[in-house]
Amino acid sequence: MRAAWIAVVLALVAPAARAADDTVGTGGSHEVVWAPPSLIPIRGPRYAPVTIDVYVTLGSPPSYAGADVARRWVEKDPSVREILHLYAYGVHAELAMEALLEAADEGRFYALFDRLAQSRMTFAAPVDVARLGREAGLDGARLDEALATHRHKSDVERLQREARGATHRPPELLVNGRRLSPWSGEEAIGKGIAEARARAEELLADGVPLS
């Protein structure tokens, strides 16, 4: 009787343990195989041995320093990528975030973000966001419509919830999880990136997936 019950249990569990391609799940937790898609595009390779996480408050000029550092390194080093975390305080900053999400839909996210960062603007008026969007190559009419109807408001609210739940605050800069000051200078940041890359290469050599 006991053997019969075991057979029934195994028959019920076995199908659930197999994926759609008939592979058996191992329950391993060393690698994340799925995560909700990010609303903010990655700058640089999708997968890279060195990741710079940048925390930026829109409309806060000192907060853009880390983003400038990450942009320069991604542009000159193909082993580096940037992951941007945005914070917005006040209606004008939230409108800028809506414009950035519209830019992401148009494939122009970093073109607009870099314009915002370079302007060091504190968003005195919504017209500034519309002007910078056009300068960044966005479709002006489409941008105006998105801002007027608040098409991306729900996504902005999602980003705001994620920001409130985060343990990091602008202007933080992390290189493969190690905190560095965005004002520490190119030499110090370059050293931090080199150390992170060396450690990543050791892990890759040990068989840890780049993903």
Side-chain angles (χ1 to χ4, degrees):
M1 185 68 174
R2 181 180 178 184
W5 275 109
I6 292 174
V8 170
V9 171
L10 289 175
L12 292 172
V13 171
R18 294 179 180 272
D21 60 358
D22 206 40
T23 58
V24 177
T26 64
S29 59
H30 66 281
E31 181 182 8
V32 175
V33 295
W34 184 87
S38 174
L39 296 169
I40 301 175
I42 293 171
R43 192 192 320 243
R46 181 182 178 189
Y47 297 113
V50 179
T51 296
I52 303 179
D53 284 279
V54 187
Y55 297 82
V56 172
T57 298
L58 291 172
S60 173
S63 183
Y64 292 124
D68 287 341
V69 168
R71 175 186 53 78
R72 291 195 300 269
W73 277 99
V74 170
E75 288 174 352
K76 67 182 179 180
D77 191 332
S79 70
V80 176
R81 67 176 183 164
E82 173 188 355
I83 295 180
L84 190 61
H85 307 268
L86 292 180
Y87 296 69
Y89 301 105
V91 293
H92 291 156
E94 289 180 0
L95 192 70
M97 190 178 284
E98 289 185 40
L100 284 166
L101 293 177
E102 174 59 30
D105 282 356
E106 296 187 31
R108 303 289 297 168
F109 178 90
Y110 280 103
L112 177 55
F113 177 78
D114 290 342
R115 290 291 301 159
L116 293 171
Q118 291 160 8
S119 74
R120 296 298 192 266
M121 192 173 291
T122 56
F123 310 120
V127 67
D128 297 322
V129 177
R131 175 177 58 81
L132 291 173
R134 285 168 168 77
E135 292 175 0
L138 273 68
D139 181 316
R142 176 173 166 172
L143 174 62
D144 290 344
E145 190 270 339
L147 296 179
T149 61
H150 298 286
R151 182 191 306 155
H152 302 285
K153 184 176 179 60
S154 62
D155 287 335
V156 167
E157 291 171 348
R158 170 185 156 184
L159 288 174
Q160 294 287 65
R161 288 193 300 271
E162 292 174 356
R164 287 193 294 270
T167 57
H168 302 281
R169 290 290 180 270
E172 281 195 70
L173 184 73
L174 304 178
V175 177
N176 279 11
R178 177 188 174 193
R179 183 180 289 106
L180 293 176
S181 169
W183 299 285
S184 58
E186 288 293 307
E187 183 177 351
I189 291 173
K191 181 181 178 182
I193 289 173
E195 291 173 351
R197 186 187 302 108
R199 176 57 178 154
E201 288 172 352
E202 291 177 2
L203 293 171
L204 289 169
D206 288 340
V208 177
L210 181 60
S211 60

